[in-house]
């Protein structure tokens, strides 16, 4: 049976969207050196309508990465520097009295954007951190009892510093669970660091992405076509069971006080599905699940204090689980 005109058109749109998203790495590399896994993770999150927690020491281009992604995707972006005195209304917006009309009008906060960079999110108290919960889960903000929808697409990219804890407020488990992925931004290799310094020596300005040559190579229409294609990606019963077995195994690990929740299982499956489509397949394999297991699960488990003192990490526990759970054939 020949494909219909609509299905053929959808396939062409999906193929064009995949080609556009594949060029993101090249475009972002004009500004950011050697962070391909983080770029891929951010694209996966956009395809899954999820959010990303970026963790890395200061100076590894976390902020620049998000700005470059927004420029290459032609998305609106705003940045909020989370500080101890930041209030929830500084993020969501508030009602402002208009003396001309003698009425209150809503003044939108920076959350009303496509790509929100929540810089150093763990430096603000839990009250302000929680102002993002509704936005991340419901994609709306309620002020004075009135829900206001956020733009589409919408992604929160939050950053935190893994080595400096003085004056910080660790994110509660309920909020960590709202992030689809936790991406670690490593220090660059020697070759990459030489490349960074060479670029700066020849006039590269991280504040001027246009001068660096970063151009829009994809847009919201490409993301919409890609999301529709990801939704058609086949997930077998064996793969679904494999994801469930991995998550259930974390709940039985002697090194953990908290394993992966069912929400974590759905996040892993969604991320693996998006990754499978990005790599050119219309079905998910066990390798897709393994490839996304660490970023999708590392922030959803909690180590026992004694295990932490022995040098056990969330990544090592998840890797151990992956070696123990039988892989479907």
């Amino acid at each position: 049976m020949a494909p219909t005109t609509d299905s053929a058109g959808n396939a062409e749109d999906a193929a064009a969207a995949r080609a556009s998203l594949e060029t993101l790495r090249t475009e972002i590399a004009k500004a950011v050196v050697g962070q391909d896994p983080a770029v891929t993770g951010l694209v996966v999150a956009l395809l899954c309508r999820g959010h990303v927690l970026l963790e890395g020491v200061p100076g590894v281009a976390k902020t620049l990465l998000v700005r470059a992604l927004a420029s290459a995707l032609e998305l609106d972006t705003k940045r909020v520097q989370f500080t101890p005195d930041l209030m929830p209304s500084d993020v969501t917006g508030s009602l402002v009295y208009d003396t001309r009309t003698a009425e209150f009008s809503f003044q939108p906060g920076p959350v009303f954007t496509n790509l929100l960079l929540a810089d150093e999110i763990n430096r603000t108290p839990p009250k302000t951190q929680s102002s993002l919960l509704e936005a991340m889960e419901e994609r709306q903000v309620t002020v004075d009892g009135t829900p206001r929808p956020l733009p589409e697409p919408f992604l929160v990219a939050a950053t935190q510093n893994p080595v400096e804890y003085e004056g910080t407020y660790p994110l509660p488990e309920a909020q960590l669970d709202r992030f689809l992925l936790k991406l670690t931004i490593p220090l660059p290799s020697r070759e990459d660091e030489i490349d960074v310094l060479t670029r700066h020596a020849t006039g590269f300005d991280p504040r001027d992405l246009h001068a660096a040559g970063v151009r829009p190579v994809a847009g919201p229409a490409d993301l919409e076509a890609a999301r529709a294609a990801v939704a058609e990606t086949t997930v077998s019963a064996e793969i679904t069971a494999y994801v469930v077995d991995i998550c259930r195994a974390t709940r039985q690990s002697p090194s953990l006080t908290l394993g992966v929740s069912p929400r974590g299982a759905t996040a892993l499956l969604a991320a693996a599905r998006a990754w499978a489509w990005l790599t050119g397949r219309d079905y998910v394999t066990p390798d897709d699940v393994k490839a996304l297991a660490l970023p999708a699960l590392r922030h959803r488990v909690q180590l026992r204090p004694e295990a932490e003192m022995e040098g056990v990490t969330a990544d090592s526990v998840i890797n151990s689980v992956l070696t123990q759970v039988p892989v479907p054939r």
Side-chain angles (χ1 to χ4, degrees):
M1 183 177 177
T4 64
T5 303
D6 286 347
S7 62
N10 291 340
E12 290 176 3
D13 290 344
R18 184 190 286 119
S20 297
L21 293 175
E22 285 174 351
T23 61
L24 277 177
R25 288 189 184 91
T26 305
E27 203 63 26
I28 293 174
K30 295 176 181 177
V32 181
V33 178
Q35 296 293 356
D36 281 356
V39 174
T40 300
L42 286 164
V43 173
V44 165
L46 281 167
L47 294 181
C48 299
R49 294 168 60 89
H51 308 283
V52 174
L53 182 62
L54 300 169
E55 186 172 89
V57 299
V60 290
K62 298 187 294 294
T63 302
L64 181 61
L65 174 63
V66 175
R67 288 178 52 237
L69 177 70
S71 295
L73 282 174
E74 207 169 10
L75 297 176
D76 181 44
T77 182
K78 290 189 174 76
R79 175 178 178 270
V80 178
Q81 183 66 50
F82 279 70
T83 56
D85 60 347
L86 194 73
M87 298 297 291
S89 59
D90 296 329
V91 178
T92 61
S94 58
L95 295 176
V96 178
Y97 184 72
D98 190 335
T99 55
R100 293 174 298 177
T101 61
E103 294 180 349
F104 285 94
S105 61
F106 178 66
Q107 183 67 37
V111 75
F112 286 86
T113 187
N114 297 125
L115 200 53
L116 177 68
L117 176 59
D119 220 353
E120 295 189 287
I121 190 172
N122 57 337
R123 287 206 171 277
T124 200
K127 181 179 180 180
T128 305
Q129 291 175 1
S130 65
S131 66
L132 284 175
L133 284 174
E134 183 187 14
M136 294 169 69
E137 190 68 21
E138 307 295 335
R139 297 181 180 273
Q140 67 177 25
V141 167
T142 301
V143 176
D144 197 34
T146 303
R148 294 173 169 83
L150 295 170
E152 186 63 39
F154 173 69
L155 178 141
V156 174
T159 71
Q160 65 178 16
N161 180 347
V163 296
E164 188 178 356
Y165 294 107
E166 186 175 350
T168 63
Y169 304 84
L171 292 171
E173 297 303 323
Q175 182 140 15
L176 282 172
D177 211 32
R178 295 300 198 282
F179 288 99
L180 179 80
L181 304 175
K182 178 182 177 181
L183 305 175
T184 55
I185 310 297
L187 288 166
S189 65
R190 182 175 183 273
E191 291 74 19
D192 286 342
E193 196 163 1
I194 289 173
D195 190 3
V196 171
L197 267 64
T198 302
R199 291 186 183 195
H200 280 264
T202 54
F204 171 71
D205 183 359
R207 291 172 290 275
D208 190 352
L209 293 177
H210 186 78
V214 179
R215 301 288 185 271
V217 294
D222 295 300
L223 286 174
E224 195 60 39
R227 286 173 175 175
V230 169
E232 298 296 323
T233 302
T234 303
V235 180
S236 67
E238 291 78 11
I239 292 296
T240 302
Y242 182 50
V243 171
V244 169
D245 289 343
I246 290 171
C247 295
R248 290 180 68 86
T250 64
R251 300 170 204 164
Q252 298 164 5
S253 171
S255 298
L256 301 177
T257 58
L258 180 68
V260 178
S261 69
R263 179 190 282 142
T266 60
L268 175 55
L269 185 60
R273 206 176 187 186
W275 171 244
W277 179 83
L278 278 173
T279 53
R281 279 178 285 100
D282 60 357
Y283 59 92
V284 181
T285 68
D287 284 342
D288 297 324
V289 176
K290 290 180 180 179
L292 273 298
L294 287 179
L297 304 181
R298 59 165 57 110
H299 56 298
R300 304 176 193 273
V301 298
Q302 195 171 71
L303 290 167
R304 292 187 182 278
E306 55 269 27
E308 204 164 1
M309 290 177 64
E310 293 172 2
V312 176
T313 64
D315 284 14
S316 65
V317 172
I318 294 167
N319 280 326
S320 176
V321 165
L322 290 175
T323 62
Q324 295 168 11
V325 176
V327 179
R329 296 182 180 273

